[in-house]
Coordinates of all heavy atoms in Angstrom, one line a residue:
M1 N 2.6 195.3 204.6 CA 3.4 194.6 203.7 C 4.9 195.0 203.9 O 5.8 194.2 204.0 CB 3.1 194.7 202.3 CG 4.1 194.1 201.3 SD 3.7 194.3 199.7 CE 2.7 192.9 199.4
G2 N 5.1 196.3 204.1 CA 6.4 196.8 204.3 C 7.1 196.2 205.6 O 8.2 195.8 205.6
R3 N 6.3 196.1 206.6 CA 6.8 195.5 207.9 C 7.1 193.9 207.7 O 8.1 193.6 208.2 CB 5.8 195.7 209.1 CG 6.2 195.1 210.3 CD 7.4 196.0 211.0 NE 7.7 195.4 212.3 CZ 8.9 195.0 212.7 NH1 9.9 195.2 211.9 NH2 9.1 194.5 213.9
A4 N 6.2 193.2 207.0 CA 6.5 191.9 206.8 C 7.8 191.7 206.0 O 8.6 190.8 206.2 CB 5.3 191.2 206.1
A5 N 8.0 192.4 205.0 CA 9.1 192.4 204.1 C 10.4 192.6 204.9 O 11.4 192.1 204.8 CB 9.1 193.3 202.9
E6 N 10.3 193.7 205.8 CA 11.4 194.0 206.7 C 11.7 192.8 207.6 O 12.9 192.5 207.8 CB 11.0 195.3 207.5 CG 12.1 195.8 208.4 CD 11.6 197.0 209.2 OE1 11.0 198.0 208.6 OE2 11.8 197.0 210.4
L7 N 10.7 192.2 208.1 CA 11.0 191.1 209.1 C 11.7 190.0 208.4 O 12.6 189.3 208.9 CB 9.7 190.6 209.6 CG 9.0 191.4 210.7 CD1 7.6 190.8 210.9 CD2 9.9 191.3 212.0
L8 N 11.4 189.7 207.0 CA 12.0 188.7 206.3 C 13.3 189.1 205.7 O 14.1 188.3 205.1 CB 11.0 188.3 205.2 CG 9.7 187.6 205.7 CD1 8.8 187.3 204.4 CD2 10.0 186.3 206.4
G9 N 13.6 190.4 205.7 CA 14.8 190.9 205.1 C 14.7 190.9 203.6 O 15.7 190.6 202.8
T10 N 13.5 191.1 203.0 CA 13.2 191.1 201.6 C 12.5 192.3 201.2 O 12.5 193.3 201.9 CB 12.5 189.8 201.3 OG1 12.4 189.6 199.8 CG2 11.1 189.8 201.8
T11 N 11.9 192.3 200.0 CA 11.2 193.4 199.5 C 9.8 193.2 199.4 O 9.3 192.1 199.3 CB 11.7 193.9 198.1 OG1 11.4 192.8 197.2 CG2 13.2 194.1 198.0
P12 N 8.9 194.2 199.4 CA 7.5 194.1 199.2 C 7.2 193.4 197.8 O 6.3 192.5 197.7 CB 6.9 195.4 199.2 CG 7.8 196.2 200.1 CD 9.2 195.6 199.7
G13 N 8.1 193.7 196.9 CA 7.9 193.0 195.5 C 8.0 191.5 195.6 O 7.3 190.8 194.9
F14 N 8.9 191.0 196.5 CA 9.1 189.5 196.7 C 7.7 189.0 197.2 O 7.2 187.9 196.8 CB 10.2 189.2 197.6 CG 10.3 187.7 198.0 CD1 10.9 186.8 197.2 CD2 9.8 187.4 199.2 CE1 11.0 185.5 197.6 CE2 9.8 186.0 199.6 CZ 10.5 185.1 198.7
L15 N 7.2 189.6 198.2 CA 5.9 189.1 198.8 C 4.8 189.3 197.8 O 3.9 188.3 197.8 CB 5.6 189.9 200.1 CG 6.6 189.7 201.3 CD1 6.2 190.7 202.4 CD2 6.4 188.3 201.7
R16 N 4.8 190.2 197.0 CA 3.7 190.3 196.0 C 3.9 189.1 195.0 O 2.9 188.6 194.6 CB 3.8 191.6 195.2 CG 3.1 192.8 195.9 CD 2.9 194.0 195.0 NE 4.3 194.7 194.7 CZ 4.9 195.5 195.5 NH1 4.2 195.9 196.7 NH2 5.9 196.0 195.2
A17 N 5.1 188.8 194.6 CA 5.3 187.7 193.7 C 4.9 186.4 194.2 O 4.3 185.6 193.4 CB 6.9 187.8 193.3
I18 N 5.1 186.1 195.4 CA 4.8 184.8 196.0 C 3.2 184.8 196.2 O 2.5 183.8 196.2 CB 5.5 184.3 197.2 CG1 5.4 185.2 198.4 CG2 7.0 184.0 196.9 CD1 6.0 184.8 199.6
G19 N 2.7 186.0 196.3 CA 1.2 186.0 196.4 C 0.6 185.9 195.0 O -0.4 185.2 194.8
E20 N 1.3 186.4 194.1 CA 0.8 186.2 192.6 C 0.9 184.8 192.2 O 0.1 184.2 191.4 CB 1.6 187.0 191.6 CG 1.2 188.6 191.8 CD 2.1 189.5 191.0 OE1 3.0 189.1 190.3 OE2 1.9 190.7 191.2
A21 N 1.9 184.0 192.8 CA 2.1 182.6 192.6 C 1.1 181.8 193.4 O 1.0 180.6 193.2 CB 3.5 182.2 192.9
R22 N 0.2 182.4 194.1 CA -0.7 181.9 195.0 C -0.2 180.9 196.0 O -0.9 180.0 196.4 CB -1.8 181.2 194.1 CG -2.6 182.2 193.1 CD -3.6 181.4 192.4 NE -4.1 182.3 191.4 CZ -5.2 183.1 191.4 NH1 -5.9 183.0 192.5 NH2 -5.5 183.8 190.4
L23 N 1.0 181.1 196.5 CA 1.6 180.4 197.5 C 1.0 180.9 198.8 O 0.7 180.0 199.7 CB 3.2 180.5 197.5 CG 3.8 179.7 198.5 CD1 3.6 178.2 198.2 CD2 5.3 180.0 198.5
I24 N 0.8 182.1 199.0 CA 0.2 182.6 200.2 C -0.8 183.7 199.7 O -0.6 184.4 198.8 CB 1.2 183.3 201.2 CG1 2.0 184.4 200.6 CG2 2.1 182.2 201.7 CD1 3.0 185.1 201.5
T25 N -1.9 183.9 200.5 CA -2.8 184.9 200.2 C -3.1 185.6 201.5 O -3.8 185.2 202.3 CB -4.3 184.2 199.7 OG1 -3.9 183.3 198.5 CG2 -5.3 185.2 199.3
P26 N -2.5 186.8 201.5 CA -2.7 187.7 202.8 C -4.2 188.2 202.9 O -4.8 188.4 201.8 CB -1.7 188.8 202.6 CG -1.5 188.9 201.2 CD -1.7 187.5 200.5
L27 N -4.6 188.4 204.1 CA -5.8 189.0 204.3 C -5.6 190.5 203.9 O -4.5 191.0 203.9 CB -6.3 188.9 205.6 CG -6.6 187.6 206.1 CD1 -7.1 187.6 207.6 CD2 -7.7 186.9 205.3
R28 N -6.6 191.3 203.8 CA -6.7 192.8 203.5 C -7.3 193.5 204.7 O -8.4 193.1 205.1 CB -7.4 193.1 202.2 CG -6.7 192.5 200.9 CD -5.4 193.3 200.6 NE -4.9 192.7 199.3 CZ -4.2 193.5 198.4 NH1 -4.2 194.9 198.7 NH2 -3.7 192.9 197.3
S29 N -6.8 194.6 205.1 CA -7.4 195.5 206.0 C -8.5 196.2 205.4 O -8.6 196.2 204.2 CB -6.3 196.3 206.7 OG -5.8 197.3 205.7
E30 N -9.2 196.9 206.1 CA -10.2 197.8 205.6 C -9.6 198.8 204.6 O -10.2 199.2 203.7 CB -11.0 198.5 206.6 CG -11.9 197.6 207.4 CD -12.8 198.3 208.4 OE1 -13.0 199.6 208.3 OE2 -13.3 197.6 209.4
G31 N -8.4 199.3 204.9 CA -7.7 200.2 204.0 C -7.0 199.6 202.8 O -6.3 200.2 202.1
G32 N -7.2 198.3 202.6 CA -6.5 197.5 201.6 C -5.1 197.0 201.7 O -4.5 196.5 200.9
H33 N -4.6 197.2 203.0 CA -3.2 196.8 203.3 C -3.2 195.3 203.5 O -4.1 194.7 204.1 CB -2.7 197.5 204.6 CG -2.6 198.9 204.3 ND1 -1.5 199.6 203.7 CD2 -3.4 199.9 204.9 CE1 -1.8 200.9 203.7 NE2 -2.9 201.2 204.4
R34 N -2.2 194.6 203.0 CA -2.0 193.2 203.1 C -1.6 192.8 204.6 O -0.8 193.5 205.2 CB -0.9 192.7 202.2 CG -1.3 192.7 200.7 CD -0.1 192.4 199.9 NE -0.5 192.2 198.5 CZ -0.4 193.4 197.6 NH1 0.1 194.5 198.0 NH2 -0.7 193.2 196.4
R35 N -2.2 191.8 205.1 CA -1.9 191.4 206.6 C -1.6 189.9 206.5 O -2.3 189.1 205.9 CB -3.1 191.6 207.4 CG -3.7 193.0 207.4 CD -2.8 193.8 208.3 NE -3.3 195.1 208.4 CZ -2.7 196.2 208.9 NH1 -1.5 196.0 209.2 NH2 -3.3 197.3 209.0
Y36 N -0.4 189.6 207.0 CA 0.2 188.2 206.9 C 0.1 187.5 208.2 O 0.4 188.2 209.3 CB 1.6 188.3 206.4 CG 1.8 188.8 205.1 CD1 2.0 190.1 204.9 CD2 1.7 187.9 204.0 CE1 2.2 190.7 203.5 CE2 1.7 188.4 202.6 CZ 2.0 189.8 202.5 OH 2.2 190.3 201.2
F37 N -0.3 186.3 208.2 CA -0.2 185.5 209.4 C 1.2 185.0 209.6 O 2.0 185.0 208.6 CB -1.2 184.2 209.3 CG -2.6 184.6 209.3 CD1 -3.4 184.6 208.3 CD2 -3.2 184.8 210.6 CE1 -4.7 184.9 208.3 CE2 -4.6 185.1 210.7 CZ -5.3 185.2 209.4
S38 N 1.6 184.6 210.8 CA 3.0 184.1 211.1 C 3.3 182.8 210.3 O 4.4 182.8 209.7 CB 3.2 183.8 212.6 OG 2.2 182.8 213.0
Y39 N 2.4 181.9 210.0 CA 2.7 180.8 209.3 C 3.0 181.3 207.8 O 3.7 180.6 207.0 CB 1.6 179.7 209.4 CG 0.4 180.0 208.4 CD1 0.2 179.5 207.1 CD2 -0.8 180.7 209.0 CE1 -0.9 179.9 206.3 CE2 -1.9 180.9 208.2 CZ -1.9 180.5 206.9 OH -3.1 180.7 206.1
Q40 N 2.3 182.2 207.2 CA 2.6 182.7 205.9 C 4.0 183.3 205.8 O 4.7 183.0 204.8 CB 1.5 183.8 205.4 CG 0.1 183.2 205.3 CD -0.9 184.3 205.0 OE1 -0.9 185.3 205.7 NE2 -1.8 184.0 204.1
L41 N 4.3 183.9 206.9 CA 5.7 184.5 206.9 C 6.8 183.4 206.9 O 7.9 183.5 206.4 CB 5.9 185.5 208.1 CG 5.1 186.7 208.0 CD1 5.3 187.7 209.2 CD2 5.4 187.5 206.6
R42 N 6.4 182.2 207.6 CA 7.4 181.1 207.6 C 7.5 180.6 206.2 O 8.6 180.1 205.9 CB 6.9 180.1 208.7 CG 7.2 180.4 210.1 CD 7.0 179.3 211.1 NE 5.6 178.8 211.1 CZ 4.6 179.3 211.8 NH1 4.9 180.2 212.6 NH2 3.4 178.7 211.8
I43 N 6.4 180.4 205.5 CA 6.4 180.0 204.1 C 7.3 180.9 203.3 O 8.1 180.4 202.5 CB 5.0 179.8 203.6 CG1 4.3 178.7 204.3 CG2 5.1 179.6 202.2 CD1 2.8 178.7 204.0
A44 N 7.1 182.3 203.4 CA 7.8 183.1 202.7 C 9.3 183.0 202.9 O 10.2 183.1 202.0 CB 7.3 184.5 203.0
A45 N 9.6 182.8 204.2 CA 11.0 182.7 204.6 C 11.7 181.5 204.0 O 12.8 181.5 203.5 CB 11.2 182.8 206.1
R46 N 11.0 180.4 203.9 CA 11.4 179.1 203.3 C 11.8 179.4 201.8 O 12.8 179.0 201.3 CB 10.4 178.0 203.4 CG 10.4 177.4 204.9 CD 9.2 176.5 205.0 NE 9.3 175.2 204.1 CZ 8.2 174.4 204.0 NH1 7.2 174.6 204.7 NH2 8.3 173.4 203.1
V47 N 10.7 180.0 201.1 CA 11.0 180.3 199.7 C 12.0 181.4 199.5 O 12.9 181.1 198.6 CB 9.6 180.9 199.1 CG1 9.9 181.4 197.8 CG2 8.6 179.8 199.1
R48 N 12.2 182.3 200.4 CA 13.3 183.2 200.3 C 14.6 182.6 200.3 O 15.5 182.9 199.6 CB 13.2 184.3 201.3 CG 14.2 185.3 201.2 CD 14.1 186.5 202.2 NE 15.3 187.4 202.1 CZ 16.4 187.3 202.8 NH1 16.5 186.5 203.9 NH2 17.4 188.2 202.6
G49 N 14.7 181.5 201.2 CA 16.0 180.8 201.3 C 16.4 180.1 200.1 O 17.5 180.1 199.7
L50 N 15.4 179.4 199.3 CA 15.6 178.9 198.1 C 16.0 180.0 197.0 O 16.9 179.6 196.2 CB 14.4 178.2 197.6 CG 14.0 176.9 198.5 CD1 12.6 176.3 198.1 CD2 15.1 175.8 198.3
V51 N 15.4 181.0 197.0 CA 15.5 182.1 196.0 C 17.0 182.7 196.3 O 17.9 182.9 195.3 CB 14.5 183.2 196.2 CG1 15.1 184.4 195.3 CG2 13.3 182.7 195.6
D52 N 17.4 182.8 197.6 CA 18.8 183.3 197.9 C 19.8 182.3 197.4 O 21.0 182.7 197.2 CB 18.9 183.5 199.3 CG 18.1 184.8 199.9 OD1 17.6 185.5 199.1 OD2 18.0 184.9 201.1
Q53 N 19.5 181.1 197.3 CA 20.5 180.1 196.8 C 20.5 180.0 195.2 O 21.1 179.1 194.7 CB 20.0 178.7 197.3 CG 20.2 178.5 198.9 CD 19.8 177.2 199.4 OE1 19.4 176.3 198.7 NE2 19.6 177.1 200.7
G54 N 19.6 180.8 194.6 CA 19.7 180.9 193.1 C 18.5 180.2 192.4 O 18.4 180.1 191.2
T55 N 17.5 179.7 193.2 CA 16.3 179.0 192.6 C 15.4 180.1 192.1 O 15.1 181.0 192.9 CB 15.6 178.2 193.6 OG1 16.6 177.2 194.2 CG2 14.5 177.4 193.1
P56 N 14.9 180.0 190.9 CA 13.9 181.0 190.4 C 12.6 180.9 191.3 O 12.3 179.9 191.9 CB 13.5 180.5 189.0 CG 14.6 179.7 188.6 CD 15.2 179.0 189.9
I57 N 12.0 182.1 191.6 CA 10.9 182.1 192.5 C 9.8 181.3 192.2 O 9.2 180.6 193.1 CB 10.3 183.6 192.6 CG1 9.6 183.8 193.9 CG2 9.7 184.0 191.4 CD1 9.4 185.2 194.3
D58 N 9.4 181.0 190.9 CA 8.3 180.1 190.6 C 8.7 178.7 191.0 O 7.8 177.9 191.5 CB 7.9 180.3 189.2 CG 9.0 180.0 188.2 OD1 10.1 180.1 188.5 OD2 8.7 179.6 187.0
A59 N 9.9 178.3 190.7 CA 10.4 177.0 191.2 C 10.5 176.8 192.6 O 10.1 175.8 193.1 CB 11.8 176.8 190.5
A60 N 11.0 177.8 193.3 CA 11.0 177.9 194.8 C 9.6 177.7 195.4 O 9.4 176.9 196.4 CB 11.6 179.2 195.3
C61 N 8.6 178.3 194.8 CA 7.1 178.1 195.3 C 6.8 176.7 195.1 O 6.1 176.1 196.0 CB 6.3 179.1 194.6 SG 6.5 180.8 195.0
R62 N 7.1 176.2 194.0 CA 6.6 174.8 193.6 C 7.4 173.7 194.5 O 6.7 172.9 195.1 CB 7.0 174.4 192.2 CG 6.6 173.1 191.8 CD 4.9 173.0 191.7 NE 4.6 171.7 191.3 CZ 3.6 171.0 192.0 NH1 2.8 171.5 192.9 NH2 3.3 169.8 191.5
I63 N 8.7 174.0 194.8 CA 9.4 173.2 195.8 C 8.7 173.2 197.1 O 8.6 172.2 197.7 CB 10.9 173.6 195.8 CG1 11.6 173.2 194.5 CG2 11.6 173.0 197.0 CD1 12.9 173.9 194.3
N64 N 8.4 174.4 197.5 CA 7.7 174.5 198.8 C 6.4 173.7 198.9 O 6.2 173.0 199.9 CB 7.4 175.9 199.1 CG 6.9 176.2 200.6 OD1 7.7 176.2 201.5 ND2 5.6 176.4 200.6
V65 N 5.6 173.8 197.9 CA 4.3 173.0 197.9 C 4.7 171.6 197.9 O 4.0 170.8 198.7 CB 3.5 173.4 196.7 CG1 2.3 172.4 196.4 CG2 3.0 174.8 196.7
L66 N 5.6 171.1 197.1 CA 5.9 169.7 197.0 C 6.5 169.1 198.3 O 6.2 168.0 198.8 CB 7.0 169.3 195.9 CG 6.3 169.6 194.5 CD1 7.4 169.5 193.4 CD2 5.3 168.5 194.2
E67 N 7.4 170.0 199.0 CA 7.8 169.5 200.3 C 6.7 169.3 201.3 O 6.6 168.5 202.2 CB 8.9 170.6 200.9 CG 10.3 170.5 200.2 CD 11.2 171.6 200.6 OE1 10.7 172.6 201.1 OE2 12.3 171.4 200.3
D68 N 5.7 170.3 201.3 CA 4.6 170.2 202.2 C 3.8 168.9 201.9 O 3.3 168.3 202.8 CB 3.8 171.5 202.0 CG 4.3 172.6 202.8 OD1 5.3 172.4 203.6 OD2 3.8 173.8 202.6
Q69 N 3.5 168.6 200.6 CA 2.8 167.5 200.2 C 3.5 166.1 200.7 O 2.9 165.2 201.2 CB 2.5 167.4 198.6 CG 1.5 168.5 198.2 CD 1.5 168.6 196.7 OE1 2.3 168.0 196.0 NE2 0.4 169.2 196.2
L70 N 4.8 166.1 200.5 CA 5.6 165.0 200.9 C 5.5 164.8 202.4 O 5.3 163.7 202.9 CB 7.1 165.2 200.5 CG 8.0 164.1 201.0 CD1 7.6 162.7 200.4 CD2 9.5 164.5 200.6
E71 N 5.6 165.9 203.2 CA 5.5 165.8 204.7 C 4.2 165.3 205.1 O 4.1 164.4 205.9 CB 5.8 167.2 205.3 CG 5.8 167.2 206.7 CD 6.1 168.5 207.2 OE1 6.9 169.3 206.7 OE2 5.4 169.0 208.3
E72 N 3.2 165.7 204.5 CA 1.8 165.2 204.7 C 1.6 163.8 204.4 O 1.1 163.0 205.2 CB 0.7 166.1 204.1 CG -0.7 165.6 204.2 CD -1.3 165.7 205.6 OE1 -0.5 166.4 206.5 OE2 -2.3 165.1 206.0
A73 N 2.2 163.4 203.2 CA 2.1 162.0 202.9 C 2.8 161.0 203.7 O 2.4 160.0 204.1 CB 2.5 161.8 201.4
Q74 N 4.0 161.5 204.2 CA 4.7 160.7 205.2 C 4.0 160.6 206.6 O 4.0 159.6 207.1 CB 6.1 161.3 205.4 CG 7.0 161.1 204.2 CD 8.3 162.0 204.3 OE1 8.4 163.0 205.0 NE2 9.4 161.5 203.7
R75 N 3.3 161.7 207.0 CA 2.6 161.6 208.2 C 1.4 160.7 208.0 O 1.2 159.9 209.0 CB 2.1 163.1 208.5 CG 1.2 163.1 209.9 CD 0.5 164.4 210.0 NE -0.6 164.7 209.1 CZ -1.7 164.0 209.1 NH1 -2.0 163.1 210.0 NH2 -2.6 164.1 208.2
V76 N 0.7 160.7 207.0 CA -0.4 159.8 206.8 C 0.1 158.4 206.8 O -0.5 157.5 207.3 CB -1.2 160.2 205.4 CG1 -2.2 159.1 205.0 CG2 -1.9 161.5 205.6
N77 N 1.1 158.1 206.0 CA 1.8 156.8 205.9 C 2.1 156.2 207.4 O 1.8 155.1 207.7 CB 2.9 156.7 205.0 CG 2.5 156.8 203.5 OD1 1.4 156.4 203.2 ND2 3.5 157.1 202.7
A78 N 2.6 157.1 208.2 CA 3.0 156.7 209.5 C 1.8 156.3 210.3 O 1.8 155.4 211.1 CB 3.9 157.9 210.1
E79 N 0.7 157.1 210.2 CA -0.6 156.7 210.8 C -1.2 155.5 210.3 O -1.6 154.6 211.3 CB -1.6 157.8 210.6 CG -1.3 159.2 211.3 CD -2.4 160.2 210.9 OE1 -3.5 159.9 210.5 OE2 -2.1 161.4 211.3
Y80 N -1.0 155.1 209.1 CA -1.5 153.8 208.6 C -0.6 152.6 209.2 O -1.2 151.7 209.5 CB -1.5 153.8 207.1 CG -2.6 154.5 206.3 CD1 -2.4 155.2 205.2 CD2 -3.8 154.6 206.9 CE1 -3.3 156.0 204.6 CE2 -4.9 155.2 206.3 CZ -4.7 155.9 205.2 OH -5.6 156.6 204.5
R81 N 0.7 152.8 209.2 CA 1.5 151.8 209.8 C 1.2 151.6 211.3 O 1.2 150.5 211.7 CB 3.0 152.3 209.6 CG 3.5 152.0 208.3 CD 5.0 152.2 208.0 NE 5.7 153.5 208.6 CZ 5.7 154.5 207.8 NH1 5.4 154.4 206.5 NH2 6.2 155.6 208.3
R82 N 1.0 152.7 212.0 CA 0.6 152.6 213.4 C -0.7 151.8 213.5 O -0.9 150.9 214.4 CB 0.6 153.9 214.1 CG 1.9 154.5 214.5 CD 1.7 155.7 215.5 NE 1.1 156.8 214.9 CZ 1.6 157.7 214.1 NH1 2.9 157.7 213.9 NH2 0.9 158.7 213.6
A83 N -1.7 152.1 212.7 CA -3.0 151.5 212.7 C -2.8 150.0 212.4 O -3.6 149.2 213.0 CB -3.9 152.2 211.8
D84 N -2.0 149.7 211.5 CA -1.7 148.3 211.2 C -0.8 147.5 212.1 O -0.6 146.3 212.1 CB -1.1 148.1 209.8 CG -2.0 148.4 208.6 OD1 -3.3 148.5 208.9 OD2 -1.6 148.7 207.5
G85 N -0.3 148.3 213.1 CA 0.6 147.6 214.1 C 2.0 147.3 213.5 O 2.8 146.5 214.1
S86 N 2.4 147.9 212.3 CA 3.6 147.7 211.7 C 4.5 148.8 211.8 O 4.1 149.9 211.7 CB 3.4 147.4 210.3 OG 4.7 147.3 209.6
S87 N 5.8 148.7 212.0 CA 6.7 149.8 212.0 C 7.5 150.0 210.8 O 8.3 150.9 210.8 CB 7.6 149.6 213.2 OG 8.5 148.5 213.2
S88 N 7.3 149.1 209.9 CA 8.2 149.3 208.6 C 7.2 149.3 207.5 O 6.1 148.9 207.5 CB 9.1 148.0 208.4 OG 8.3 146.9 208.2
P89 N 7.6 150.0 206.4 CA 6.7 150.2 205.2 C 6.4 148.8 204.6 O 7.3 148.0 204.7 CB 7.5 151.1 204.3 CG 8.6 151.6 205.1 CD 8.8 150.8 206.3
S90 N 5.3 148.7 203.9 CA 4.9 147.4 203.3 C 5.9 147.1 202.2 O 6.4 148.0 201.6 CB 3.5 147.5 202.8 OG 3.4 148.5 201.8
G91 N 6.2 145.9 202.0 CA 7.2 145.4 201.1 C 8.7 145.5 201.5 O 9.6 145.1 200.8
A92 N 8.9 146.1 202.7 CA 10.2 146.1 203.2 C 10.7 144.8 203.8 O 9.8 144.1 204.4 CB 10.5 147.3 204.2
A93 N 11.9 144.5 203.6 CA 12.3 143.1 204.2 C 12.9 143.3 205.6 O 13.4 144.3 206.0 CB 13.4 142.5 203.2

């Protein structure tokens, strides 16, 4: 955890807080140390950026989840449009 916090320029407490918010769940080594995947560190970096801008940590975690959901919905919509052979959203003129 210390090394991950160092890489992000933050504290272990920050990583614990986003873990408690269930945004990321690190694996545990046999000795009980937290082990983070690179994608988890990217998520933590995104949240840290929001927190650095003054967003409370719980709100930053929620924003991150909502941004991911929006990105996925846009991807699915694009797939549906391609399957229909249309390049514009339905209802657009």
Side-chain angles (χ1 to χ4, degrees):
M1 174 181 274
R3 179 72 177 128
E6 182 181 312
L7 286 170
L8 294 172
T10 190
T11 64
F14 173 80
L15 291 173
R16 277 191 292 278
I18 62 175
E20 289 170 6
R22 298 183 193 258
L23 185 62
I24 59 175
T25 305
L27 294 178
R28 295 283 184 145
S29 70
E30 288 183 21
H33 299 283
R34 290 174 178 89
R35 302 288 183 191
Y36 296 91
F37 289 103
S38 59
Y39 77 89
Q40 291 173 318
L41 295 178
R42 285 192 299 273
I43 291 169
R46 285 171 56 190
V47 171
R48 180 177 179 260
L50 291 168
V51 170
D52 287 349
Q53 294 173 14
T55 307
I57 196 163
D58 57 335
C61 290
R62 184 68 181 140
I63 288 167
N64 185 77
V65 168
L66 291 170
E67 286 176 341
D68 286 347
Q69 288 173 346
L70 175 60
E71 184 179 317
E72 176 64 12
Q74 289 172 332
R75 185 191 64 74
V76 168
N77 285 339
E79 287 179 14
Y80 285 140
R81 283 193 301 273
R82 278 192 300 275
D84 286 344
S86 170
S87 62
S88 63
S90 62

